[in-house]
Each structure stands twice: as structure tokens, then as C-alpha cells.
Amino acid sequence: MSPAPKHSDGLPLSTDLEPLVLRVLDAAKAAGATQAEASLSHSRGLSVSVRKSEVESLEFQRDRGLSLTVYFGHRKGSASTGDLSDSGIRQAMEAACAIATVTEEDPFSGLADRDRLATRFPDLQLDHPWDVTPDQAIEMARACEAAAMSVDARITQSEGAGLSTQRGVSIYANSHGFIGRRSGTQHSLSCAVIASDPDGNMQRDYWYDGGRNAALLDTSEAIGRRAGERTIARLGSRRLSTRSCPVLFVPQQARGLFGHFIGAISGGVLYRKASFLLDHMDKPVFSDIVTLEQQPFIPGASSSSAFDQEGVATAQRHLVEKGVLRSWLLGSYSARKLGLETTGNAGGVYNLVASHGALGYEQLIREMGEGLIVTELMGQGVNGVTGDYSRGAAGFWVENGEIAYPVENATIAGNLLEMYQRIRAMGADVDTRSNIRCGSVLIDGLQLAGE
């Protein structure tokens, strides 16, 4: 076979991965498999980190891999390999078939139903290669760190600045005749610094930007300045006494609240009966100002896709409508276990977009009047079965609608279902850098454990 054409970065075109994947499916059929699926991916990346202007690391990554799954009736076997030679593929196929022969039959296993597979593949503008050289990447990271360090003389230490750029191409195909191709990029630049006051008290903070198109990132200087300003703002942090008060989660922390929701409506925890939202379909789970919608076709978004990991067509739909739960997140296996239909969410959610009001960040602070702004959360104290929530927090205390002083070592305690239903406002300050797009979230009556 002649070498596949390549992009200027050395990766093959996604369309040119097809012959190898189809050859794998043919081999699975020849081995007696009743169904088979295979995915092939190639990726490359560059990452650099600097600290105190010195290069700490410079890494170039190039990976490729083949994953295949065979079904003999309801017996399943899977294998993967980075060796794409004929012998490497043959060994992976033999391993998958051997695994299938010794596994128990599972009546719920198998490919997604043929009539649910995607047939429409719009250009979602996910692939924006960045031909940045190592020297250029190093200089951008240095400029970012220098901007942060120059904000204030009290910034005395750096945890470094880093730049990362990744590009990948992949193809997924199965024995139903489905072929889905993807190519995409992800770029980021970040910086973290440490400030100290005359008493020797130290605070750390950071900032970053990321996205698929490097041309849309903030400048190195802007990211560095923001990191420095955030760090200085935390000097003089105090501890709060135990109290109940409103809490305003900034977008970067608010999306974690919705991340716990995503986990609770996903198929695996549902069929294992390990979710605090069991039996809540078509019932209110959020305050009625909250609507959550999956929007998989947003151009350039982090999780846009026309199909899920099984090739099932994705769809724009409400997960929560005016507070009421309207849909689970299911792949084919979990759907069959539950006696339902797949929702096209094998692999997770494809851009969760939260509703928002007209109030920006500063207006939400005035709306809150008195309470805590949470800019950082620590710990993993979330119980997905009961919804109990307890996490360390840092941020700023607000009095009379204005920030009064920074706060550290607070603990927020509550139950997620109650927290969701106490949401008073959703901010217009939407952060689009994640697969969860939301603004700040103001929640009434949360318990803070302090001194």
C-alpha cells in the first residue's frame, strides 16, 4: 500500500485512514465475528513550560493507535495497538477474538442500531492547525510570565507559564457500514504566580486561555496580566466564621456544578442505581430559571460532533427545561440495560449550554448584596449517590454589593439537589472555553463552615 497523503504537520488526512480501518473490519469478519468496530487515530503536539524565564520542559508528542472490538454473538473482545504493521494488527485481532471466546454472554452488548447512525456530517470548523515553532512557543510563554511578574512588586515567585498545541485526526467505522471522520485542534496558554505580603503570607493564582483556533486566544501579555492581578487580589485573605449565606460561583467553578449533574444523568450510574437523580425524569431538579441544552453543532466549540463514539447521530435537545429534567445521557449499552433508546451520548455530553440572564458579573455581585464569591474549589467531597456536597473554597466576601476582602479556607456544604433548586440567578458572563458553557451562578442559602 502506498503511503497515505499527509497534512503539512505530518499527519495523514482523516479520509486516508479509511483503507486500514476497513481492512481491520474485513479481517474481523473473516475470523468469524458477527459484528465489529474499529477506530484509528493519529495525533501530534508541542508543549513548552518556562519558569523564571528558563525553559523547564520542551516536549514534542506524536502518537497513533488502533482500537478494535469484535462481537461473536453477545460475546465481546477488545484490543488496541500502536503497531500498525500487518503483524501488529493481526496480533491485536487475535487478542480481541481470544478475549471474546472466554467472556460471558451479555445480551445488551453489540453495535449501536443501524438506523441511529449519523448520515449528516457538517463542517464544524474544529481543525485550525497552528504552525508555531518551539522557539516561538518559548518566547510566548516567557512573555506571559514576564507580564504576570510585572503586575506588582509583591509577586515574587512564579510557578511557570506553559503553551500547548495539539492536533489529531481519527476515523471510526463499524460493520454496519458506518464511517465517521474527525480532525481537530486544541491550543492553550497559561500562567501561575505567587505573591507575598510584608508578613510573609503567600497567595497563588493563575489564568489561561484555550480553544481550537490559536488566532482567537488572548495575547500572552493579557493572560499574564490577568494571572498577576488575580494573585494580588488574594493577598490579605481572611477566614470566615460558620454561617449561611448566598454564594456566587464564577463561571469556571459554576460549570463544575453542572458537571456533577451530567455525571448523575449518565447511563452507567443510572443502571447501577448510583445516582441522586434516579426517578427524577420529568420532575423539577433545578430552579425554574435554569434550562440546559445540548448543542453539538456549535462551530469551533470544544465538544462539537455530528456523532458519538458509537457513530450514533448527535442531536440538539433539552436536558433540563425550565428546571425540569427532560433527558438522560445514554449510549447503546446503558440504554439497553435500562430498556430505553440511546440518546447519542456514548462518550459524554456534546456542548452543554446553560441559560443565562441579563446580569453581568458586577451586577450579580450587587444583586447578591452580601455573600461569598467562589473563585476556587478544592477537594473531591461530592457523593454522586446521595448528592451530598462538601468542598473547600476560596474567593471574596461581599458586603453592600461590593467586594470587601479575599477569603480562604472556607468549606461549602449542602446537597446538590437542594443547591440546584436554590439557584437565584444565572449570569451573562458566559465562559465558552469548556464543553460546559455557563455564566456565574448565584445560589441562596448555602452553609459555610469556617472558624
Side-chain angles (χ1 to χ4, degrees), residues 134-413:
D135 286 343
Q136 289 170 333
I138 290 168
E139 289 309 308
M140 291 179 68
R142 282 174 171 161
C144 188
E145 182 186 51
M149 297 294 292
S150 67
V151 166
D152 193 288
R154 290 171 292 177
I155 297 177
T156 56
Q157 296 290 331
S158 170
E159 289 195 349
L163 182 148
S164 174
T165 175
Q166 306 284 332
R167 181 171 185 266
V169 296
S170 64
I171 186 169
Y172 167 82
N174 63 38
S175 54
H176 284 333
F178 176 83
I179 300 175
R181 307 171 187 87
R182 289 191 176 104
S183 61
T185 50
Q186 187 65 42
H187 318 290
S188 66
L189 178 60
S190 63
C191 182
V193 291
I194 300 169
S196 57
D197 62 23
D199 295 327
N201 298 312
M202 303 175 73
Q203 294 291 339
R204 168 201 177 276
D205 217 321
Y206 74 99
W207 195 243
Y208 77 102
D209 199 7
R212 293 191 178 273
N213 189 342
L216 302 180
L217 299 183
D218 283 345
T219 65
S220 300
E221 291 76 14
I223 294 168
R225 282 196 303 271
R226 185 75 182 275
E229 291 164 356
R230 284 166 57 93
T231 302
I232 290 298
R234 293 187 61 169
L235 287 175
S237 289
R238 308 181 194 177
R239 297 188 179 189
L240 296 174
S241 60
T242 296
R243 66 189 71 188
S244 177
C245 66
V247 174
L248 179 64
F249 293 84
V250 299
Q252 297 75 37
Q253 307 306 328
R255 64 187 178 217
L257 298 174
F258 298 119
H260 299 313
F261 165 75
I262 290 171
I265 65 168
S266 297
V269 299
L270 294 172
Y271 71 70
R272 290 193 296 268
K273 299 187 182 301
S275 169
F276 69 93
L277 292 179
L278 284 177
D279 305 319
H280 279 74
M281 181 57 65
D282 295 323
K283 296 179 182 178
V285 295
F286 284 88
S287 110
D288 61 9
I289 68 168
V290 178
T291 291
L292 302 176
E293 187 174 23
Q294 176 175 264
Q295 297 183 14
F297 306 117
I298 301 173
S302 65
S303 293
S304 293
S305 181
F307 56 93
D308 72 0
Q309 289 184 353
E310 300 177 314
V312 174
T314 56
Q316 183 167 326
R317 69 179 194 283
H318 285 112
L319 304 182
V320 172
E321 187 176 17
K322 296 182 178 179
V324 177
L325 178 61
R326 294 301 191 195
S327 179
W328 305 123
L329 297 175
L330 307 177
S332 295
Y333 183 82
S334 58
R336 290 166 187 155
K337 292 275 283 188
L338 294 165
L340 300 172
E341 295 287 330
T342 178
T343 62
N345 289 103
V349 68
Y350 296 94
N351 298 327
L352 182 73
V353 180
S355 57
H356 62 83
L359 300 182
Y361 177 63
E362 300 293 338
Q363 293 169 305
L364 284 172
I365 294 174
R366 290 193 290 272
E367 169 75 13
M368 179 168 63
E370 181 176 272
L372 178 66
I373 301 170
V374 172
T375 60
E376 183 178 6
L377 288 167
M378 295 151 279
Q380 304 296 321
V382 181
N383 187 321
V385 178
T386 64
D388 290 339
Y389 184 95
S390 178
R391 298 192 67 186
F396 299 91
W397 183 251
V398 172
E399 293 177 354
N400 300 317
E402 296 182 352
I403 292 177
Y405 51 83
V407 171
E408 64 183 358
N409 295 331
T411 299
I412 299 172

